[in-house]
Amino acid sequence: MCVWCEQYAGGYERWYLNPANYARRLYKVRREETEASGAEANPQAAGGMSAVGREFLEAKERGDHEAVARMKKEAEQRLWQIHFGQVVTREELDQILDIIYPIALMTCACRRSMRGLPDDENFTCIGMGPGMYKWERWPDTYRGGVHFLTPDEAREVVDVLNRRGLAHTVYTFGTPYLGGICNCDYPDCGGLRTAIDLDVRVVWKGHYVAQVDPDLCNGCGLCARRCQFQALTFSPSTLQAYIDPLKCYGCGLCRNPCKPDAITMVERESMPALADVW
Amino acid sequence: MLPTISVDDSKCENPLDCRMCLLACPTRVLGLGTNVGPQKYRETDPSHFVVRGVRHQFCTMCMKCVDICPHDAIRISLDQGVMA
């Protein structure tokens, strides 16, 4: 079971379909330390994009599993209180776009950090909720400012990002409040880098897992380039798509170029051995 | 062994505009961030942007960033004491 749904779904099918989780107050008394720094969500200070430091990499390299496990746990506990994400499908994103307000197109902090991408080339993130009025009011503080979108405009934007091959992720800003829809790719998303490179779960896998129907797959291989999670490869043995269900994040992007509709999304929790793989 | 990457901030004046090292690195080892917290009601001054080694485990020491830096601000070494 997804622990976030367990705690925060409030009777809705998923925690990110519960409108209460988008209703963070515009102004709040900050808690001390870590919570405050995450809630601040400063896209520039976040520039290091690293949930763990060099000491984690060094411990990994010298094979100190105990230290790695301890630092991983500390980082995850901190991140899960403040700022973490979960992958959602395009269909779920449609449902989300119907319950959030306002919807604001904004710049991606990760690509700024990774590539130094100029603001005008970097509008790939969607902020949501009353916090976005601060971005509108003080565009200098919040680099790049925002463009407010209607739900239909947001759908168009999301479709373009989806065609580009970016995976949709919802992010908390002070859990359980969801404040952003990120559109992510490897290697330029800081969250995916941390999750995939270091196995520190700043991004949770989604509620679905992609499966290939070998009777339908025609071996065109177009899906292979869509996977941002190193889960889908083209198998030279079978000449068909191969999906590692343990690595699949369930974004659903691989389905889109598939002419014979050979890829379906299966509920993660319908498979007992995957039910706790997030 | 993880390479040590050091950036001389006094030489690296405006990495946000320059970003040559970020683009040159084949594996996104470097990250651009700021050395100040959020600046209320004003844009963060470009001088506060800094480049740091972040994903050291992917650094192959190909030295592309070192070579391309117009201000000679980046040093990479394997031994912390001796700069390559």
Side-chain angles (χ1 to χ4, degrees), chain A residues 40-71:
Chain A
E40 196 63 68
N42 171 29
Q44 295 150 358
M49 289 298 156
S50 184
V52 287
R54 186 181 167 100
E55 63 279 6
F56 183 86
L57 303 179
E58 284 173 352
K60 251 188 127 159
E61 202 186 49
R62 66 173 186 269
D64 187 344
H65 303 300
E66 217 168 278
V68 169
R70 176 176 48 77
M71 282 187 267

Side-chain angles (χ1 to χ4, degrees), chain A residues 16-36:
Chain A
Y16 44 78
L17 298 179
N18 176 5
N21 294 332
Y22 297 93
R24 210 187 92 176
R25 279 169 293 166
L26 181 52
Y27 296 101
K28 58 179 241 172
V29 179
R30 298 216 186 286
R31 270 187 259 158
E32 289 303 309
E33 316 238 349
T34 51
E35 200 272 347

